[in-house]
Amino acid sequence: MVHIEPGIFARHDPVVEPVPVVFDSPHSGSHYPADFHYACPARLLRHAEDAHVDDLYGAAPAFGATLIAALFPRSYIDVNRGLEDIDQQLLDQPWPGPVSASDRTRVGMGLVRRICRPGLQMYDRKLTVGEIKHRIDRYYRPYHAAVADAIDSAAGRFGGAWHVNCHSMPSTRGPRASVHGWERADFVLGDRDGTTCGIGFRRLVQGTLERMGYDVRVNDPYKGVELVRRFGQPQLGRHSLQIEVNRRLYMNEDTLERTAGYDKLKRDIETLVGAIAAYARDQLTAAAAD
Ligand SMILES: [Zn+2]
């Protein structure tokens, strides 16, 4: 069963006996709102999408998990940023609420982006406070509420919940690549240095991927941002892990078209989803036996 909030999110509910597992794909949306009015080339703007990630995890409901996917693009408003991560340079008047700009905002990639890519402005105008508030109230808050509700209801029913925040990463060398060599990683897992999920869960995901032959890094260079920070409370039995998959494994990074590797990667992610569902069930059984 799929519940759709048009333009906002799609929630795919379990089609078998539920397990307390929630996947969310916050950046795969490609419904560009009519009031976006960006000034950069659409082809380049679309490179910000985590294209196809919702489909790669499409097996979730068949394993009893819930899958939530944003339908709007992250370049319009990024649900993986804090609400105070406001870029004052982008606004035509002072923001009326608290502002706590992150490093990402300082380079123009905060809650609402100022740049399409380094050196290329997103807009040919300043945005109004009302525009930003609309994006927060109409898009950001309902998306966060959908993920929160799914996790709360799983935890309420089962006594614990496992949340996987699903992303993709470009393969191109960034300025950090020479230090970390991260362009070679197939997957990067982020638990904000061990604070958003139990180590057993992270190891389960890492081990499952490595046994399938993938190169996996942890918290390097992506540690996880707002969604795992908000929902990961391992001390309360709520575990959140961010997974970044390298786009070179499944798509042409210029045209966003699927490549020959797509089907194999999707099958391997289905194996991963199955392993996560089994892990969650085993954890609850073990807790019940204590
Ligand atoms: Zn992403």
Side-chain angles (χ1 to χ4, degrees), residues 51-74:
H52 310 299
V53 166
D54 51 340
D55 182 72
L56 287 171
Y57 288 85
F63 287 95
T66 299
L67 168 64
I68 296 165
L71 299 178
F72 56 94
R74 67 102 70 91

Side-chain angles (χ1 to χ4, degrees), residues 1 30 36 46 61 90 94 108 123 126 138 140-141 148 157 161 166 184 186 192 210 221 228 272:
M1 249 187 331
S30 58
F36 195 160
R46 292 205 64 196
L90 185 60
Y123 303 95
K126 299 278 190 184
R138 184 85 182 92
Y140 183 106
R141 289 190 195 280
R157 177 171 173 187
C166 310
R184 287 189 298 273
D186 297 319
R192 297 184 65 85
E210 287 177 347
V228 297
L272 175 67

